[in-house]
Each structure stands twice: as C-alpha cells, then as structure tokens.
Amino acid sequence: MARIDTSHLSTKGKMIFLACDQGMEHGPEDFNEKNIDPHYIYELALKANLNAVIFGRGIAEHYHHEYMGKIPLIVKLNGHSRFNKPDSYGKQNCTVEEAIEFGASAVGYTLHMAGIHEAEQMAEFGRIVKDAHAKGLPAIAWVYPRGPEVKDPNTSEMVAYAARFGMELGADIVKVYNPGNEGALRWAGICAGKTEVVISGGNQVTPEEYAEQCKQIMRAGLSGVAVGRNVWQAEDPYHVLNLIKDVIYNGNY
Ligand code: FBP
C-alpha cells in the first residue's frame, strides 16, 4: 500500500500541531480561565495558521463544527487521567468512524511502550491504523515509554526506541518526547524511517528556550512539533508562535 498522504497536515512538509488533551491527561491545573476554553485554543491555531489542533472526542464533537474547513482536526482516540501512573492505560474511547464524523483529518493514540498494557495497546493501535488507512486518514502514535522498566523516558535510547516502535506499528507520524540533543533527535528520525517524527513540547520554558529546542529539532531533520503548554500557557502565545514559525516554517535554524 502506498504511503498515506500527510500533506494536508503540513506546510511544505513542516508541522506545528497545537495539542490540547492535557485537560484529561493532566487535569485542569494546567489551565487558567482563558485557556481552559477550547475556543481560545482554536483561535490561537487559526490566527497563527498552524497545521492542526489536537483534541479528544468531547471537544471534537461539541466544538469542531464551528471550525470545520478552517483548521484541520486530529482526534485523540484514547486518553487517561493522571492517576495510576505508570500503569495508566487509555483504552480507545472513540472510533475512527466517529472521529471522521466530528471532522477529523487524522487520528491519534497514546501508547505507553513498556507499560504493563503494552500488548493490548499494540493490538488496539494496529486496528486503528487499519481503520484509519481504509478511510485514507493518517494515524499518529504518541509513543511514551512508561512502566516499571523505564527509569527515564527521555534518554536518547528510549526516544529512538519509541520512534522505531511507532514506525514498526504502522504509524504515519510518531510523536515522541524530546531527548534534548540534536544527535539523539537525528537518530530517532533515522530509526523512524518513512514515518514522520514530531516532538512533544513538555513543561513550559521561556519562549526563547522553546525556540532553541525547535531549532535542534529542525536541524535534526524532523518534521516539527506537537506542542501544548509551551504555547497556550505562555503569557503571549503569539510571541512563542512567531518565534517557532520562523524556525519551523521559514527554516531559520
Ligand atoms: P505538551 O506540549 O503540553 O507537553 O503536550 C504534549 C502531550 O503529548 C499532550 O498531547 C499530552 O496530553 C501530554 O503531552 C501528555 O504528557 P505526559 O504523559 O508526558 O504527562
């Protein structure tokens, strides 16, 4: 089968996705009265002309109709609360068909590689890849190492393993943690083969520090970022977005 097209999620192959599934995965303490409103996240992504927003089924179903055709939507098909780590296993709570009804241009799924539910998650994501590809949609795997064997999920070895894991499971795009250095980022990209790699944002740092991280990511030849808190927690999200768009879209790295 030919590769699934991901060009509707990129600007000349470069990707900035605005992730907002933290309300479920971390809880409302990540947010304030402004950014807790999904409209605020949508408006940021729209005004900055980003490649997609990422929401779970609830927000997709109840808000996306207002933004249909304006900004691509990636629906996260699973999620979990912040409790019970390292065993948290988000079972699929939304089908590919439902995501398409909500307006999805791609679907996403978090896999806890090395978690105690790894086998079930691999089988579940395998079915998602099949369903998504049957409809021509890209399947995006968040591959986050987590479990009793994982001492540090951000090491070069773990991030490269996560990228390879997603690639071998059939993900079109794999989202992994930032190992924090260019060599490790490049190796993760090589391990992912034809699968595109985007890097998650992590805890908030200054806009300038985050832009530096993006420079490393792009110098390593990766596709871009799927970022949340570093954008919508910022005092001036447009300042961060201008900095990272210059790096990612304009190639100033
Ligand atoms: P951030 O950029 O805010 O780190 O978001 C990226 C993300 O992958 C979200 O999509 C997800 O909710 C969150 O990180 C999960 O974070 P973790 O499982 O590492 O706590």
Side-chain angles (χ1 to χ4, degrees):
M1 186 167 145
R3 254 195 108 238
I4 292 288
D5 184 28
T6 57
S7 60
H8 59 296
L9 297 174
S10 87
T11 302
K12 294 189 198 138
K14 306 301 176 202
M15 298 167 170
I16 304 178
F17 302 151
L18 191 57
C20 193
D21 55 342
Q22 292 83 349
M24 176 180 284
E25 306 230 333
H26 297 161
E29 50 264 63
D30 272 8
F31 296 84
N32 59 30
E33 286 189 16
K34 213 162 52 173
N35 57 30
I36 193 77
D37 180 358
H39 288 301
Y40 178 81
I41 307 293
Y42 268 110
E43 291 303 325
L44 279 181
L46 258 177
K47 286 196 185 123
N49 221 352
L50 304 184
N51 300 108
V53 287
I54 302 170
F55 289 116
R57 65 167 302 150
I59 294 175
E61 185 165 12
H62 295 124
Y63 290 78
H64 193 68
H65 59 97
E66 293 177 53
Y67 299 93
M68 201 76 88
K70 294 183 183 162
I71 177 100
L73 168 71
I74 298 167
V75 175
K76 262 303 281 301
L77 301 183
N78 72 335
H80 57 85
S81 77
R82 71 166 182 271
F83 305 108
N84 304 320
K85 285 182 181 180
D87 300 342
S88 50
Y89 157 34
K91 271 200 183 223
Q92 187 176 355
N93 58 44
C94 178
T95 65
V96 170
E97 286 69 23
E98 286 172 313
I100 291 169
E101 276 171 36
F102 305 151
S105 299
V107 292
Y109 180 91
T110 298
L111 267 147
H112 287 157
M113 184 184 91
I116 60 171
H117 300 287
E118 182 189 85
E120 291 146 271
Q121 287 216 282
M122 289 171 72
E124 201 161 76
F125 186 66
R127 289 190 291 274
I128 287 168
V129 171
K130 183 176 172 221
D131 293 350
H133 288 184
K135 303 283 186 190
L137 253 63
I140 306 174
W142 278 227
V143 186
Y144 290 169
R146 193 163 293 172
E149 297 296 317
V150 181
K151 288 183 186 58
D152 180 356
N154 289 79
T155 64
S156 308
E157 292 75 16
M158 287 314 261
V159 173
Y161 197 167
R164 184 70 183 193
F165 195 84
M167 176 270 214
E168 293 208 17
L169 273 173
D172 303 288
I173 302 172
V174 67
K175 174 174 173 178
V176 293
Y177 286 139
N178 191 345
N181 73 81
E182 201 180 314
L185 287 161
R186 180 170 294 108
W187 176 232
I190 293 168
C191 291
K194 290 182 183 175
T195 296
E196 292 173 271
V197 179
V198 294
I199 299 295
S200 75
N203 294 331
Q204 193 188 14
V205 293
T206 67
E208 289 70 26
E209 282 166 344
Y210 187 60
E212 281 306 313
Q213 290 185 21
C214 291
K215 286 183 186 174
Q216 276 190 346
I217 292 165
M218 301 318 288
R219 282 199 298 263
L222 305 184
S223 296
V225 297
V227 53
R229 290 165 290 172
N230 267 295
V231 170
W232 45 254
Q233 281 183 347
E235 214 173 290
D236 180 359
Y238 294 104
H239 174 53
V240 187
L241 285 169
N242 286 338
L243 290 177
I244 71 171
K245 283 170 67 179
D246 191 46
V247 173
I248 296 173
Y249 295 155
N250 300 341
N252 285 324
Y253 47 82

